[in-house]
Amino acid sequence: MIITRIALTVVALSLTSRGLHAQTDARMKHWSFQPIKSINTPLIPGDNWSRTPIDRFILEGMKTHHLTPAPIADRRTLLRRVTYDLTGLPPSPTQMSQFLAGKNPKAYEKVVDRLLASPQYGEQWGRHWLDVVHYGDTHGYDKDKRRPNAWRYRDYVIHAFNKDVPYSQFIREQIAGDMVSPGTKDGVVATGFVVAGPWDFVGEVELAEGTVEKEKTRLLDRDDMVANVMSTFNSVTIHCARCHDHKFDPISQREYYRLQAVFAGVERGDRIIGDGDEASDTPSPSNGYHSGIEAQPDVTKWVQIDLGKSVTVESLRLLPARPTDFPDTPGFGFPVRFTIAVSDEPLFTSQTIVDDHSGADFANPKDKLYVVDLHGVKTRYIRVQATRLWPRTNDYIFALAEVQTYSGGTNVARGNVVTAKDSIEQGRWSTKFLTDGCDSRHAFGISSYAVVPRMSRTVQLLSRGDVESPIAPVEPGSLSCVAGMDANLAVKTSEPEGARRLALANWIADPKNSLTWRSIVNRVWQYHFGKGIVDTPNDFGRNGSAPTHPELLDWMANWFASNGQSIKKLHKMIVMSSAYMQSSSPSTASLKLDSDNKFLSRMNRRRLDAEEIRDSVLTVSGNMNLEAGGPGYDLFRFKDDHSPIYDFADTSKMNDPKTFRRTIYRFIVRSVPNPFLDCLDGADPNINTPVRNTTMTALQSLALWNNPFMIGQEAAFAGRIRNQSPDVSRQIACAYERALNRAPTSHELELAKAYIQKNNLESFCRILLNTSEFVFID
């Protein structure tokens, strides 16, 4: 045992020494860890191509490699490209015709401004962000339970993009919003980012405390939080240092566990953020009201609520108690006989009894709400009076978990003053707990799946990442490899949990943090051009790719960080550039000298993402419902069970109008992917997905041709254009305009007429939605 302790101490000292001398590591000189350089835009003689500063960097790179830019794309292609990029939806026939007919030289810029102001912009770019942070609406793992309140984080992200929240604020809110904006809904909801990933229900809930397995589960849970934060905002593979120092980057194992210490007090769960009548799965901090204890049952007890002023009340709800110390006793303390009375004065010398159960024993409601219709009575005070008490254990009591009183749909009893004949004021029992929105099992109110602060836990540096081989405790900290940044966060494990998250958030959002600003501009660039300047957007380390245009990356990072951190302004600068407006048709020289288009001598053609395909089909068919926000809709049959069942084989909901909303609002299941979207390379919510795969397979063709959703929408599409005109030629023209944003050629028109005559309009619409022109953007 003595030898083992000595060995561990030597290892600990060795690791500490390595951490202290990390600044001497040659790997510290890697480009991404260096300060962002102040770059001047190149001056290129005879340049009449550049529209934005971006273009000068791109043109300089082309000239260095003997390339020339492709021609500017035609107006139809440009409108389709920018509309899909910024909103994920196709332009309407009217928008296309107006743009093609327009003579205003600023017509394209006006389109860009309109798209950036559209609510659909946040839905498109929110979806990209949710890919990166591996958002899902279920826990994952073996028992893939639902997270009914996770959607509020999804909506927060969409709103943040639409509001163009400055990026540093976006960072700080997601890591520590409850500290940045305490007491606000967004402050809590934003922290859904930290807990967006999978969560092991079995390990966290069913495994016993104090076991090795429990510690392993918590280690992995914190690992997910650390990896999510650092890969998303700083593009580093921090999780590679869990069992040993990072093999490629100057990140020590000790630094990894210092980051784990930041999240040592974090748990995942529903958290109350405001008023409402939803019961979450959050254990509440109180049991409710408990009267004094009596030896006999026929003793009068009462408890009453002061609503603050006389109001019109429609209904009253009594919530039976099930206290934590009697978890198997539903209906604990509910009176055997009782009355409910209202009055406008506190002593009830003048009262109206609105519900009377004093003449006979009342059946215990167990866990069921007892609701009384008050028919709009006007009152200030409400009293529940027990005339026969509930038998406990050789004694008698009166108890209630919660009383709710509704006026105009609002629980006006919430948080108001409660008085009683007598009351046990101890622990989880108090008169004030009768109207606190909790019933010992649930907290009633608007809930969000977010960070739930708990008591801090000590985090140990682990030999080989083994929880059974702790070396020494560590304090919260960050990375020493980022030049100009102090890895010490100046917070201790003993400090409140939120203070540690806030310290890390401030470290990441610091203007000097070169990783942060390079990372975000690279991500935005990637989604516009199909590939990042660094094409490994989650890995800026030595094992990742080098930037193709390092000066441009630094210029954009510096410009973005110094000019309001507006992602919308960054979009506009990119899509207004000549580089973005180029045709995707390659020249012979371009293919020969730059086959993979590394230097952007043409635009990259791209296939629509899975969500864009589904949303486009709904738009073209006329079925798209643009209702924003709220709980996700199910595209499966659900059965709640020990291990829930998500049955996508039941296709009945595919063409249910309730599901005709944008795909970002679907309920995302981790354990069972949606077959249609998965086939089209939808993101796996179990892993951070900074770049989606783009494949072309026979299965995709079969899905687009035979999937029940596609067949149903193709029929709706045919019905839509049939209603527009009885003339077949006009029907064909309308179909082309809606699906492909153009008119058919004379040859296409004749072929379509012959096809429809032989088959039908539905079949023709099916063909249009299966063309490469529909699913690819030039």
Side-chain angles (χ1 to χ4, degrees), residues 129 167 171 175 193 229 231-235 508 515-516 519:
W129 188 259
Y167 190 61
I171 294 169
I175 300 174
F193 160 79
V229 170
S231 63
T232 296
F233 293 121
N234 280 174
S235 298
I508 291 174
L515 290 172
T516 300
S519 175

Side-chain angles (χ1 to χ4, degrees), residues 287 317-323 329-334 364-370 399-402 439-441:
N287 290 332
R317 298 181 181 187
L318 304 184
L319 280 67
R322 188 196 280 230
T329 311
F332 178 92
F334 200 91
N364 190 286
K366 305 292 186 183
D367 283 328
K368 189 177 179 180
L369 283 172
Y370 178 61
L400 288 172
E402 189 82 359
D439 75 344
S440 80
R441 291 150 292 147

Side-chain angles (χ1 to χ4, degrees), residues 522-541:
N522 186 66
R523 290 195 195 281
V524 175
W525 183 274
Q526 169 203 321
Y527 288 116
H528 283 302
F529 287 97
K531 186 182 291 186
I533 295 173
V534 180
D535 67 7
T536 53
N538 268 26
D539 187 1
F540 277 17

